[in-house]
Amino acid sequence: MIVQVKNGKSVLLRKLTPDDFDKLSYYLQNLGPETVKRYGPHGFDKLSISELYQYPEQYSGYIAGDPETSEIIAYSIIKTGYLETDGNRLQSYGFTPDEKTDCTFAPSVADKWQSQGVGNNLFHFMMYDLKSKGFRRIILWGGVQSSNLKAVNYYLKNGFIKLGQFEHNGMNDDMVLEIA
Ligand SMILES: CC(C)(COP(=O)(O)OP(=O)(O)OC[C@H]1O[C@@H](n2cnc3c(N)ncnc32)[C@H](O)[C@@H]1OP(=O)(O)O)[C@@H](O)C(=O)NCCC(=O)NCCS
């Protein structure tokens, strides 16, 4: 699917395939320091990526590409269910995570493409797929740093609500979205 974003450029949205692993590793290893402080759901090397995506029923990737350069400019990962490390904390808010109908989400956009609508477009593209797979809720992967206003706004904008707050290298918010 091709969409136009705020800088006037076209962007290609699609699902990640094994043919993309080299480019994904390059994308992740070239994220700027501000973004890396906020984003790191898994190792950025090709081996870590290949190991994770050998379980397609557990993990799905979604990417945005620049048709002019064929480079990846945004990447989101979805894990089926929830992270073991998040389970107890989520339950402490009275929220009962579900291994089958919940999924866990971590988005990123390349620094120079941020705030251009790429993240929103990739989110809507991904939602279409998640609905068709029968997921009912989306949980944030390890929450979001409360100081990360860009991401907090992005989640609120897309309908996420805050479940609670926790301390881990500063304050973080757990958020969830009920898929309509
Ligand atoms: C968070 C992130 C995925 C959002 O994607 P994006 O492409 O930059 O966001 P979009 O341009 O699609 O904007 C979507 C919404 O995000 C918020 N947003 C985007 N840029 C913002 C900025 N500079 N300041 C405040 N809010 C901002 C707004 O609510 C915006 O909606 P609006 O355009 O209607 O105002 C992206 O900025 C990113 O990768 N950040 C670094 C990594 C990260 O923080 N990941 C999340 C870890 S929990």
Side-chain angles (χ1 to χ4, degrees), residues 5-6 27 31-32 34-40 73-76 105-111 113-123 140-145 148-158 173:
V5 294
K6 289 180 189 167
Y27 161 83
L31 289 173
E34 273 306 305
T35 297
V36 170
K37 263 197 332 206
R38 313 293 198 183
Y39 196 71
I73 60 157
Y75 164 63
S76 291
F105 171 51
S108 69
V109 174
D111 298 66
W113 286 85
Q114 288 176 14
S115 306
Q116 300 297 322
V118 177
N120 261 353
N121 275 293
L122 190 57
F123 183 79
L140 297 189
W141 189 296
V144 54
Q145 295 165 359
N148 187 359
L149 291 184
K150 214 186 267 190
V152 170
N153 284 342
Y154 165 76
Y155 295 128
L156 291 173
K157 177 94 192 183
N158 283 299
D173 294 334

Side-chain angles (χ1 to χ4, degrees), residues 151-175:
V152 170
N153 284 342
Y154 165 76
Y155 295 128
L156 291 173
K157 177 94 192 183
N158 283 299
F160 282 78
I161 56 158
K162 187 171 155 179
L163 286 171
Q165 214 176 28
F166 65 99
E167 155 71 33
H168 176 74
N169 299 329
M171 293 314 289
N172 298 266
D173 294 334
D174 279 311
M175 299 176 96

Side-chain angles (χ1 to χ4, degrees), residues 41-62:
H42 54 71
F44 287 1
D45 57 298
K46 189 180 174 188
L47 183 62
S48 302
I49 296 167
S50 321
E51 280 178 357
L52 194 82
Y53 284 107
Q54 67 182 303
Y55 304 105
E57 68 296 338
Q58 273 296 308
Y59 296 98
S60 310
Y62 301 86

Side-chain angles (χ1 to χ4, degrees), residues 2-44:
I2 293 204
V3 293
Q4 202 176 44
V5 294
K6 289 180 189 167
N7 61 11
K9 297 204 168 183
S10 295
V11 164
L12 175 65
L13 310 175
R14 62 179 178 81
K15 291 189 76 172
L16 181 78
T17 72
D19 289 344
D20 299 313
F21 291 169
D22 277 317
K23 279 185 184 165
L24 179 59
S25 176
Y26 179 84
Y27 161 83
L28 290 168
Q29 293 188 37
N30 284 281
L31 289 173
E34 273 306 305
T35 297
V36 170
K37 263 197 332 206
R38 313 293 198 183
Y39 196 71
H42 54 71
F44 287 1

